[in-house]
Structures are given as C-alpha cells and as structure tokens.
Amino acid sequence: MAKSIFYHAGCPVCVSAEQDIINLIGESNVEVVHLGDDQTRITEAEKAGIKSVPALVTPNGNVLHINYGASLEDVKG
Amino acid sequence: MAKSIFYHAGCPVCVSAEQDIINLIGESNVEVVHLGDDQTRITEAEKAGIKSVPALVTPNGNVLHINYGASLEDVKG
C-alpha cells in the first residue's frame, strides 16, 4: 500500500492525533512530517490542499483535516 | 484489534471521508453509523464527545473530527 502522509506542527492536538493515526493505520504506512521543523515542506502541504494541521493525505491524494490544531498560515509564522 | 466507530450523516464530505477511512483502516476494523438514519445513536455519539460529523472514535475512545460535514446539532434536525 502506498504511504499516507501525516502533516503536523508539534501542537498538543497534533501529537494526540498522530498517535491515534499511527495506531489505526500502522507506523509503516504513514510518513510523519513536522512542518515546524521542516518548513521546506510547507509548499508541498499547500499544494496537497492542506489548510490546517494536523492533516492526513491519503495514498490517493485526498486530504483529511483531523480536529484542529493550527492553520497552515500560523505554521508559516 | 477493537473496532473504531465512524459516525456520519450522509453528507458528501461524510461519504468521501468514509471511503478514505475504510481504505486506510480496513472495512472490518470500523463500524459505520449513519446518524441520519439511526437517530437513536446520537446520544451515544454525543457521550463519546462528537461535535460534528464525519468523526471517528478510535478503539481507545479518542475522537477524531475529520474535515467538516455538519454539526451534530444539525443532524438532530
């Protein structure tokens, strides 16, 4: 199965959702990207359609915004 | 693995998210509840902490609100 990508920014809501997603999907099936630590990937996240974090991009490219931690604008700082 | 429960109300956002969740977690690992068709389960959803649909309750009881289809108040009609 192609990997999903989980984008987050280290917020409490993000960390909690990350654990839930890893438990549900399996750690080997999801790449975790911390946009606060790796701002070079913010553009990629925007192109995927992400508006807020945490968010999961599925293998077929759909975006699932999960709960609400922070807007992508806030992550850009 | 204990089952997750996916609550929705038949909205387009819900149906799309349902397919994504089933693809990610596997159909056998998630119970799908349509709150529009089965209003008797709205109380259960509220007790779980659900504020809007679609939402997924994980086996350990965490609520993941996914995207935003409708508030639970709207589902109650």
Side-chain angles (χ1 to χ4, degrees):
Chain A
M1 188 169 82
K3 276 200 181 193
S4 300
I5 307 177
F6 181 81
Y7 293 95
H8 74 114
C11 57
V13 170
C14 297
V15 172
S16 173
E18 178 186 341
Q19 280 309 308
D20 289 327
I21 292 295
I22 287 176
N23 289 341
L24 289 169
I25 303 180
E27 193 162 8
S28 60
N29 293 321
V30 57
E31 178 188 2
V32 175
V33 175
H34 188 316
L35 291 175
D37 290 345
D38 190 356
Q39 301 231 339
T40 62
R41 298 191 66 173
I42 290 178
T43 306
E44 163 197 316
E46 282 184 311
K47 283 185 184 161
I50 288 174
K51 307 290 185 199
S52 64
V53 286
L56 186 75
V57 179
T58 68
N60 60 11
N62 287 352
V63 178
L64 300 178
H65 291 97
I66 299 167
N67 294 339
Y68 183 83
S71 75
L72 208 56
E73 294 305 311
D74 290 337
V75 175
K76 288 181 191 174
Chain B
M1 189 169 81
K3 276 199 181 193
S4 300
I5 308 177
F6 181 81
Y7 292 95
H8 74 115
C11 56
V13 169
C14 297
V15 172
S16 173
E18 178 186 342
Q19 281 309 307
D20 289 327
I21 291 294
I22 286 175
N23 289 340
L24 289 169
I25 304 180
E27 193 162 8
S28 60
N29 293 321
V30 57
E31 177 188 3
V32 176
V33 176
H34 189 316
L35 292 175
D37 290 345
D38 191 356
Q39 301 232 339
T40 62
R41 297 193 65 173
I42 290 178
T43 306
E44 163 197 317
E46 282 184 311
K47 283 185 182 162
I50 288 173
K51 307 290 185 198
S52 64
V53 286
L56 186 74
V57 179
T58 68
N60 60 11
N62 287 352
V63 178
L64 300 178
H65 291 98
I66 299 167
N67 295 338
Y68 183 83
S71 75
L72 208 57
E73 293 306 311
D74 290 337
V75 176
K76 287 182 194 175

